[in-house]
Amino acid sequence: MRQAFRASLLHCLADPGEASAPSAVEYFEDGVLVVENGAVLEAGEAEALIPELGDTRVTEYPGKLIVPGFIDCHVHFPQLDIIASYGEQLLDWLSRYAFPAEARFSDLGYAQEIAGVFLDELLKNGTTTALVFGTVHAHSADAILEAAESRGMRLIAGKVLMDINCPEELQDTPESAYTDSKALIERWHGKGRLGYAITPRFAITSSEEQLAAAGRLASEYPDVWVHTHLAENKAEVEEIASQYPHSRSYLDVYDQFGLLRERSVFAHCLHMNDEDRQCMAKKGGAAAFCPTSNLFLGSGLFDLRSMLAANIPVGLGTDVGGGTSLSLLRTASEAYKVLHLQGQALPAMRALYLTTLGAAKALCLDDKIGNFTTGKEADFIVLDPAGSSLSERRTKLASSIDESFFAMTMLGDDRNVAATYVAGKLAQSSLAHSSLAQSGLAESK
Ligand code: GUN
Ligand code: ZN
């Protein structure tokens, strides 16, 4: 099954950096993406590719921009309905909002309902892959992974491990954390496009026995992800120092229990020093930069330059419900401001990188997704520069793709996502699809 999609086309081949190296990015103003059996066959200039397409059906998106599907490196599906809850910093926010919301997921039917709503929201926002926290209930991981499977999405998720310092109804044990996670890994990891993440909430809510059990699993299943929070909030870091007085740092706690390795993804990483960064880089850990959450919860400013200088892979995360939007366009906009406050730059093409290829690298998925090189899975989105009237006015004035994409990241949200494709199939669209020009070669010219 071969199809082609014609629009402007933009993707990253490497990290464009702060100075936006042009060779790291490929842009075709009139481009074609050719997809076969759900994978990218070719991306290039329409002029060169259209004559070779024979009777391949061409779907045209005039005036639109096709980019790879966005990748959200850290998000909590059970916190969808507590997004935008007023007033607290992390530890109080967890007690007041997150834990009560997560307790409702003891009900499987409710977990399944929210999982479906959540993934449809991701698709509307152009997010085709995410690394997702569940709740302590094992069936929360079943619910989100089943919902991803039915939508054909590449998704990584896990049941949360937490056995101390949280409401009793939300506690598991070191033993049940181990056996439940193991059963979920056996059921889901590597099934189709799905992956499993061993998910200790953070070191505050796991006993040493539980962290040891998680570390045992992490060594038994080296290709499974580890997903947790690290050094987000100052009070949290102080609590860790008193809970683990013999550890060198917060990161060191995870390291001591075998939870820092390749495929370990740490959300936030705000309050770290150079020694931590070097250690994380050496062991292969990656960071999720979650700017809307870091601002909303008053947590701090992510130091992207130092993380990248240490060679730590970084991708953007929304961290809903601490984060305030599922849109990676809006998240990129806040990332720009967080970096600006620290004298750092986030050019448009690097924002694209951190939400596509860079995020894929952070999740060790860059052999499968993140750009349009031949053989990658055809997850892509159709961005509409005219998604809102203001975005339309501003992008019309842009004299380069750089300027236009920057304006879209500053002003954009789900209104700018016209269609989302998962493995070459239309998964979500705000367009009346019958009105799209779908044609063979003759009509497409
Ligand atoms: N640290 C531990 N749990 C959480 C959570 O649910 N959200 C955020 N932002 N940080 C956490
Ligand atoms: Zn989080």
Side-chain angles (χ1 to χ4, degrees):
M1 240 289 274
R2 187 179 293 188
Q3 307 157 263
F5 302 87
R6 184 174 185 172
S8 295
L9 219 65
L10 176 69
H11 69 143
C12 293
L13 300 171
D15 182 356
E18 276 194 25
S20 261
S23 61
V25 171
E26 217 170 31
Y27 175 61
F28 305 105
E29 191 173 354
D30 181 10
V32 169
L33 180 67
V34 188
V35 172
E36 191 168 64
N37 300 325
V40 173
L41 193 62
E42 213 170 357
E45 293 288 358
E47 198 178 6
L49 292 182
I50 290 279
E52 296 172 5
L53 285 176
D55 60 0
T56 301
R57 192 170 79 165
V58 181
T59 302
E60 305 214 345
Y61 289 106
K64 310 267 192 301
L65 175 68
I66 290 179
V67 299
F70 292 139
I71 299 167
D72 187 338
C73 291
H74 176 71
V75 62
H76 301 247
F77 93 88
Q79 295 178 4
L80 185 69
D81 289 341
I82 52 158
I83 190 170
S85 291
Y86 180 81
E88 310 290 355
Q89 286 216 354
L90 175 66
L91 299 177
D92 294 325
W93 178 86
L94 285 172
S95 301
R96 183 162 170 201
Y97 299 115
F99 292 154
E102 293 184 20
R104 297 184 65 187
F105 285 70
S106 61
D107 176 347
L108 170 64
Y110 180 70
Q112 289 169 329
E113 178 197 334
I114 302 298
V117 173
F118 172 83
L119 291 186
D120 288 340
E121 283 294 322
L122 288 197
L123 291 168
K124 272 185 224 166
N125 280 285
T127 299
T128 49
T129 285
L131 174 58
V132 186
F133 256 68
T135 62
V136 72
H137 315 96
H139 63 228
S140 71
D142 289 319
I144 191 73
L145 289 163
E146 264 163 26
E149 186 176 41
S150 74
R151 287 161 179 79
M153 294 171 76
R154 180 165 284 287
L155 198 103
I156 307 164
K159 160 209 140 51
V160 172
L161 316 183
M162 45 202 267
D163 66 338
I164 55 170
N165 295 329
C166 61
E168 215 165 304
E169 60 177 327
L170 284 175
Q171 289 180 14
D172 56 3
T173 66
E175 295 73 30
S176 72
Y178 180 87
T179 52
D180 286 353
S181 301
K182 192 177 173 78
L184 287 164
I185 291 168
E186 296 289 342
R187 193 173 313 146
W188 291 109
H189 186 68
K191 186 175 186 212
R193 303 189 77 196
L194 306 174
Y196 194 81
I198 301 160
T199 310
R201 177 167 219 117
F202 62 162
I204 289 182
T205 47
S206 285
S207 63
E208 297 195 23
E209 294 72 27
Q210 183 167 79
L211 291 178
R216 212 158 54 245
L217 267 181
S219 72
E220 287 166 8
Y221 294 98
D223 65 337
V224 160
W225 284 265
V226 172
H227 184 199
T228 188
H229 297 93
L230 170 66
E232 174 178 5
N233 170 285
K234 287 215 167 113
E236 171 205 14
V237 174
E238 281 163 19
E239 180 59 36
I240 292 291
S242 76
Q243 207 170 315
Y244 294 92
H246 304 300
S247 290
R248 182 186 60 73
S249 69
Y250 194 161
L251 179 69
D252 190 43
V253 174
Y254 292 131
D255 192 19
Q256 280 174 11
F257 287 102
L259 293 166
L260 171 56
R261 58 151 173 65
E262 270 184 25
R263 289 178 187 249
S264 293
V265 181
F266 299 93
H268 307 301
C269 305
L270 302 183
H271 308 289
M272 284 172 57
N273 60 24
D274 279 340
E275 194 176 354
D276 284 330
R277 280 187 276 268
Q278 250 126 53
C279 175
M280 192 187 247
K282 195 169 106 206
K283 301 267 174 100
F289 171 15
C290 306
T292 75
S293 169
N294 298 159
L295 295 172
F296 183 71
L297 294 176
S299 303
L301 305 177
F302 185 85
D303 184 353
L304 181 67
R305 189 182 284 157
S306 297
M307 296 299 275
L308 294 179
N311 264 325
I312 296 168
V314 176
L316 284 190
T318 63
D319 194 30
V320 163
T324 50
S325 174
L326 287 173
S327 166
L328 279 159
L329 291 172
R330 289 187 71 158
T331 304
S333 165
E334 298 309 294
Y336 174 89
K337 297 166 201 167
V338 160
L339 296 172
H340 218 355
L341 275 170
Q342 302 173 91
Q344 300 184 26
L346 184 62
M349 293 306 126
R350 187 173 243 181
L352 176 69
Y353 179 76
L354 292 177
T355 52
T356 58
L357 185 62
K361 280 187 199 279
L363 301 185
C364 299
L365 288 175
D366 52 308
D367 58 332
K368 298 186 170 61
I369 54 173
N371 66 6
F372 297 141
T373 52
T374 303
K376 292 265 179 105
E377 296 164 358
D379 291 345
F380 61 94
I381 60 182
V382 181
L383 291 176
D384 183 1
S388 67
S389 51
L390 191 57
S391 169
E392 181 174 22
R393 284 182 71 82
R394 181 61 187 90
T395 52
K396 263 190 190 152
L397 295 170
S399 57
S400 66
I401 182 59
D402 232 84
E403 191 182 339
S404 171
F405 190 74
F406 181 72
M408 245 190 288
T409 61
M410 289 304 118
L411 303 171
D413 53 32
D414 56 329
R415 292 169 299 175
N416 295 74
V417 179
T420 302
Y421 285 82
V422 164
K425 285 206 186 97
L426 185 66
Q428 190 72 235
S429 177
S430 61
L431 302 169
H433 245 255
S434 55
S435 72
L436 279 177
Q438 293 202 332
S439 57
L441 172 61
E443 300 99 304
S444 73
K445 283 190 169 169

Coordinates of all heavy atoms in Angstrom, one line a residue, residues 10-27 347-353 401-402:
L10 N 9.1 19.5 6.5 CA 10.3 19.9 7.4 C 10.6 18.8 8.4 O 9.7 18.3 9.1 CB 9.8 21.2 8.2 CG 10.8 21.8 9.2 CD1 12.0 22.4 8.5 CD2 10.1 22.9 10.0
H11 N 11.9 18.4 8.5 CA 12.3 17.5 9.5 C 13.8 17.7 9.8 O 14.5 18.3 9.1 CB 12.0 16.0 9.1 CG 12.8 15.5 8.0 ND1 13.2 14.2 7.9 CD2 13.2 16.1 6.9 CE1 13.9 14.0 6.8 NE2 13.9 15.1 6.1
C12 N 14.2 17.1 11.0 CA 15.6 17.2 11.4 C 16.3 16.0 11.1 O 15.8 14.9 11.2 CB 15.6 17.4 12.9 SG 14.9 19.0 13.5
L13 N 17.6 16.2 10.7 CA 18.5 15.1 10.5 C 19.5 14.9 11.6 O 20.1 13.9 11.8 CB 19.3 15.2 9.1 CG 18.4 15.3 7.9 CD1 19.2 15.7 6.7 CD2 17.7 14.0 7.6
A14 N 19.6 16.0 12.4 CA 20.6 16.1 13.5 C 20.1 17.3 14.4 O 19.2 18.0 14.0 CB 22.0 16.3 13.0
D15 N 20.8 17.5 15.5 CA 20.5 18.6 16.4 C 21.0 19.9 15.7 O 22.2 20.1 15.5 CB 21.2 18.4 17.7 CG 20.9 19.6 18.7 OD1 20.2 20.5 18.3 OD2 21.4 19.5 19.8
P16 N 20.1 20.8 15.4 CA 20.5 22.1 14.7 C 21.3 23.0 15.7 O 22.0 23.9 15.2 CB 19.2 22.8 14.4 CG 18.1 21.7 14.6 CD 18.6 20.7 15.6
G17 N 21.3 22.7 17.0 CA 22.1 23.5 17.9 C 21.5 24.9 18.1 O 20.5 25.3 17.6
E18 N 22.2 25.7 19.0 CA 21.8 27.0 19.3 C 22.0 27.9 18.1 O 21.3 28.9 18.0 CB 22.6 27.6 20.5 CG 22.0 27.2 21.8 CD 22.6 28.0 23.0 OE1 23.0 29.1 22.8 OE2 22.5 27.5 24.1
A19 N 23.0 27.6 17.3 CA 23.2 28.5 16.1 C 22.5 28.0 14.9 O 22.7 28.6 13.8 CB 24.7 28.5 15.8
S20 N 21.6 27.0 15.0 CA 20.8 26.5 13.9 C 21.5 26.2 12.7 O 21.4 26.8 11.6 CB 19.7 27.5 13.6 OG 18.5 27.2 14.2
A21 N 22.4 25.1 12.8 CA 23.1 24.6 11.6 C 22.1 24.2 10.5 O 21.3 23.3 10.8 CB 24.0 23.5 12.0
P22 N 22.2 24.8 9.3 CA 21.2 24.5 8.3 C 21.2 23.1 7.8 O 20.2 22.5 7.5 CB 21.5 25.5 7.2 CG 22.7 26.2 7.5 CD 23.1 25.9 8.9
S23 N 22.4 22.5 7.9 CA 22.5 21.1 7.3 C 21.8 20.1 8.3 O 21.6 18.9 7.9 CB 24.0 20.7 7.2 OG 24.6 20.8 8.5
A24 N 21.4 20.5 9.5 CA 20.8 19.6 10.4 C 19.3 19.4 10.1 O 18.6 18.6 10.6 CB 20.9 20.1 11.8
V25 N 18.8 20.3 9.2 CA 17.4 20.3 8.9 C 17.1 20.2 7.4 O 17.9 20.7 6.6 CB 16.8 21.7 9.4 CG1 15.4 21.9 8.9 CG2 16.9 21.8 10.9
E26 N 16.1 19.5 7.0 CA 15.7 19.4 5.6 C 14.4 20.0 5.4 O 13.4 19.7 6.2 CB 15.7 17.9 5.2 CG 16.2 17.7 3.8 CD 16.4 16.2 3.5 OE1 15.6 15.4 4.1 OE2 17.2 15.9 2.7
Y27 N 14.3 20.9 4.4 CA 13.0 21.6 4.2 C 12.7 21.6 2.7 O 13.5 22.0 1.9 CB 13.1 23.1 4.7 CG 11.8 23.9 4.4 CD1 10.6 23.5 4.9 CD2 11.9 25.0 3.6 CE1 9.4 24.2 4.6 CE2 10.8 25.8 3.3 CZ 9.5 25.3 3.8 OH 8.4 26.0 3.5
P347 N 16.4 28.4 19.2 CA 15.9 28.7 17.9 C 14.8 27.7 17.5 O 14.7 26.6 18.0 CB 17.1 28.5 17.0 CG 18.3 28.4 17.9 CD 17.8 28.0 19.3
A348 N 14.0 28.1 16.5 CA 12.8 27.3 16.1 C 13.2 25.9 15.7 O 12.5 24.9 16.1 CB 12.1 28.0 14.9
M349 N 14.3 25.7 15.0 CA 14.7 24.4 14.5 C 15.1 23.5 15.7 O 14.9 22.3 15.6 CB 15.7 24.5 13.4 CG 15.2 25.1 12.1 SD 13.7 24.3 11.5 CE 12.6 25.7 11.4
R350 N 15.7 24.1 16.7 CA 16.1 23.3 17.9 C 14.8 22.9 18.6 O 14.7 21.8 19.2 CB 17.1 23.9 18.8 CG 17.5 23.0 19.8 CD 18.6 23.5 20.7 NE 19.8 22.7 20.6 CZ 20.9 22.9 21.3 NH1 21.0 23.9 22.0 NH2 22.0 22.1 21.1
A351 N 13.8 23.7 18.6 CA 12.5 23.4 19.3 C 11.9 22.2 18.5 O 11.4 21.3 19.1 CB 11.6 24.6 19.3
L352 N 12.0 22.2 17.2 CA 11.5 21.1 16.4 C 12.2 19.8 16.8 O 11.6 18.8 17.0 CB 11.6 21.4 14.9 CG 11.2 20.3 14.0 CD1 9.7 20.0 14.0 CD2 11.7 20.6 12.5
Y353 N 13.6 20.0 16.9 CA 14.4 18.8 17.2 C 14.0 18.2 18.6 O 13.8 17.0 18.7 CB 15.9 19.2 17.2 CG 16.8 18.1 17.6 CD1 17.2 17.2 16.7 CD2 17.4 18.1 18.9 CE1 18.0 16.1 17.0 CE2 18.3 17.1 19.2 CZ 18.6 16.1 18.2 OH 19.5 15.1 18.6
I401 N 11.1 29.7 6.6 CA 10.4 28.6 7.4 C 10.8 28.8 8.8 O 10.0 28.5 9.7 CB 10.8 27.2 6.8 CG1 10.1 26.1 7.6 CG2 12.3 27.0 6.8 CD1 8.6 26.2 7.6
D402 N 12.0 29.3 9.1 CA 12.5 29.5 10.4 C 11.5 30.4 11.2 O 11.1 30.2 12.3 CB 13.8 30.1 10.4 CG 14.8 29.4 11.2 OD1 15.4 28.4 10.8 OD2 15.0 29.8 12.4

